Amino acid sequence: WGTPNRGGDSSAVADQLRKDVVSVVASNLAFAALKADGTVVSWGDSLRGGNSQDVQQDLKAVKLIRPCNAAFAALRHDGLVVTWGDPERGGNSSPVQCRLHDVIDIQATK
């Protein structure tokens, strides 16, 4: 349902979404699903969070995902935070990555 490039078409990741999905969150243009094994599947606008391939190696043991307007943040069980999406809207946390450890909770703004 919806506009295909804004998350309305999940066919590219449908096999990954068939089982063990714990939660799904949405930004304005993409979706991210947290699976029971702590991995993340994303789809939608690839520049605004729908493509998490660049950080996929870090999206392990995730316990929580928060969406914002055009990006996502994931909190891992070890307290590290991983972000992806539009770098100007929260998708690039590299300037503060050294401070994103031992994190207990994360929140997002729209």
Side-chain angles (χ1 to χ4, degrees):
W1 73 98
T3 306
N5 65 340
R6 294 184 176 188
D9 179 7
S10 61
S11 61
V13 294
D15 286 344
Q16 298 171 70
L17 298 173
R18 291 201 197 290
K19 61 180 183 172
D20 300 325
V21 172
V22 175
S23 64
V24 177
V25 295
S27 70
N28 286 352
L29 301 171
F31 293 90
L34 176 60
K35 299 195 67 179
D37 64 359
T39 59
V40 175
V41 179
S42 60
W43 68 98
D45 186 316
S46 62
L47 300 176
R48 292 176 176 83
N51 182 350
S52 56
Q53 288 301 100
D54 289 347
V55 295
Q56 199 58 231
Q57 72 280 357
D58 298 321
L59 290 173
K60 295 179 173 52
V62 171
K63 67 176 183 177
L64 175 67
I65 304 170
R66 295 282 192 224
C68 65
N69 185 356
F72 295 94
L75 177 60
R76 297 182 353 178
H77 282 282
D78 62 5
L80 294 177
V81 176
V82 180
T83 60
W84 71 98
D86 186 334
E88 294 182 9
R89 293 184 172 96
N92 179 8
S93 58
S94 60
V96 294
Q97 194 64 46
C98 64
R99 297 181 181 179
L100 296 177
H101 57 85
D102 299 324
V103 176
I104 297 169
D105 193 14
I106 55 175
Q107 294 297 322
T109 60
K110 290 279 183 175

